[in-house]
Amino acid sequence: MLDEEFFPRRRMDRGVRDSVKKLLHYSVVLLGFFLALSMAGIDLKNFAVLAGALGIGIGFGLQNIVNNFISGLILLFERPIKVGDMVVVDNEWGTVRKIGLRSTTVETFDLAELIVPNSLLVSEKVTNWTLSNSRSRLVIPVGVAYGSDVPKVLTILAEAARQHPDVLKEPEPSPIFVAFGDSSLDFELRVWMADAQKRLLVRNDLLQYIDRRFREEGVEIPFPQRDLHLRSVDSAIIGGMQEKPAPPRSE
């Protein structure tokens, strides 16, 4: 009824709808519990005293459960995360699928479901990529060989950003020459996307385009390398190398 009549008229987003439904559900359950006690002839005043006494003992034994329960209420009221948000929890990327009073279900990109205690979402650091808006910045590091044409590399990176339909025109994409690396000239391509859910797809497309254009333009992507310089070598070692007979040739 709420989904068909009430919510469409109010134009509430999915997160607000889920919070309202859960709060109404738990309120009805709690009200029904007290009505059942009243109809059974149990004095609610006596029950309150008994519940208070039991609460002290249960609080120590079920401290984590109570903590998660209170944290679930905080999530429903403050809404730092909502159903459908893309979050990073303990270095795991995923989409929030369900927020309960004890735990929250996060679906990873591998379609695995993480059951995260609500207390963790309230007390620990959680990255929410879609809290206030779904825009997201993507940074792609690129390294090319020393001696490469720097303006040409910057042009190719800018071209890669302009041709992709999911890359925003504003803020404007930024190809940047970052540093002289150990084995390469280091660049970064910084772009903005309208939908953070497409980060992996956009990254894949841009990397493929950059690789193809580099090969067409003869821009080399180097392997890590080290140069070894010998300042001094023991003369006995040099003499031994010179006097060592060559191995016999097999016929």
Side-chain angles (χ1 to χ4, degrees):
M1 179 178 177
L2 291 175
D3 288 328
E4 296 177 359
E5 299 292 337
F6 182 77
F7 291 140
R9 296 178 182 177
R10 301 300 187 278
R11 296 181 179 179
M12 294 182 177
D13 63 35
R14 184 180 177 184
V16 175
R17 294 199 305 265
D18 288 340
S19 297
V20 171
K21 286 191 294 185
K22 287 185 181 299
L23 290 175
L24 287 176
H25 170 75
Y26 293 124
S27 298
V28 170
V29 170
L30 185 62
L31 179 61
F33 175 72
F34 285 118
L35 287 176
L37 291 178
S38 179
M39 294 178 64
I42 299 176
D43 190 351
L44 295 182
K45 293 182 180 180
N46 296 332
F47 178 78
V49 175
L50 178 61
L54 290 175
I56 297 176
I58 294 175
F60 289 103
L62 303 178
Q63 184 176 1
N64 289 336
I65 295 178
V66 173
N67 187 17
N68 288 324
F69 179 83
I70 299 300
S71 298
L73 293 177
I74 293 175
L75 292 177
L76 290 177
F77 280 105
E78 292 189 359
R79 300 176 63 241
I81 63 171
K82 307 180 295 296
V83 173
D85 281 350
M86 188 170 74
V87 298
V88 182
V89 181
D90 196 21
N91 294 324
E92 289 282 355
W93 289 68
T95 303
V96 178
R97 294 304 183 195
K98 178 183 177 183
I99 301 177
L101 281 183
R102 189 193 67 83
S103 63
T104 294
T105 302
V106 178
E107 183 181 81
T108 69
F109 294 149
D110 298 326
L111 298 184
E113 292 185 334
L114 300 178
I115 309 301
V116 184
N118 287 333
S119 58
L120 179 66
L121 298 176
V122 172
S123 61
E124 300 294 332
K125 178 181 178 181
V126 178
T127 302
N128 189 340
W129 285 88
T130 53
L131 176 60
S132 56
N133 62 73
S134 60
R135 292 201 311 175
S136 174
R137 192 179 77 164
L138 178 64
V139 179
I140 299 179
V142 178
V144 301
Y146 274 91
S148 299
D149 188 336
V150 172
K152 179 186 291 186
V153 173
L154 292 173
T155 299
I156 293 174
L157 295 181
E159 178 185 308
R162 286 196 302 268
Q163 60 82 37
H164 201 288
D166 290 320
V167 173
L168 296 177
K169 306 303 180 185
E170 291 292 337
E172 186 177 356
S174 301
I176 300 174
F177 183 11
V178 178
F180 295 97
D182 292 336
S183 304
S184 63
L185 301 176
D186 297 335
F187 295 80
E188 284 184 354
L189 175 59
R190 303 177 181 181
V191 300
W192 285 88
M193 302 171 298
D195 187 358
Q197 302 277 2
K198 296 182 178 180
R199 287 179 61 86
L200 292 180
L201 294 176
V202 173
R203 182 184 182 88
N204 172 72
D205 293 343
L206 292 177
L207 286 174
Q208 289 193 51
Y209 185 90
I210 292 170
D211 177 67
R212 178 171 61 82
R213 292 289 291 121
F214 277 3
R215 284 187 280 108
E216 292 174 353
E217 297 295 334
V219 178
E220 180 184 354
I221 298 178
F223 295 99
Q225 58 186 4
R226 294 289 185 273
D227 293 333
L228 179 62
H229 299 275
L230 299 177
R231 293 184 177 274
S232 62
V233 180
D234 190 275
S235 57
I237 297 177
I238 297 178
M241 295 176 62
Q242 293 175 345
E243 296 174 1
K244 185 177 181 181
R249 298 175 58 184
S250 59
E251 297 182 358

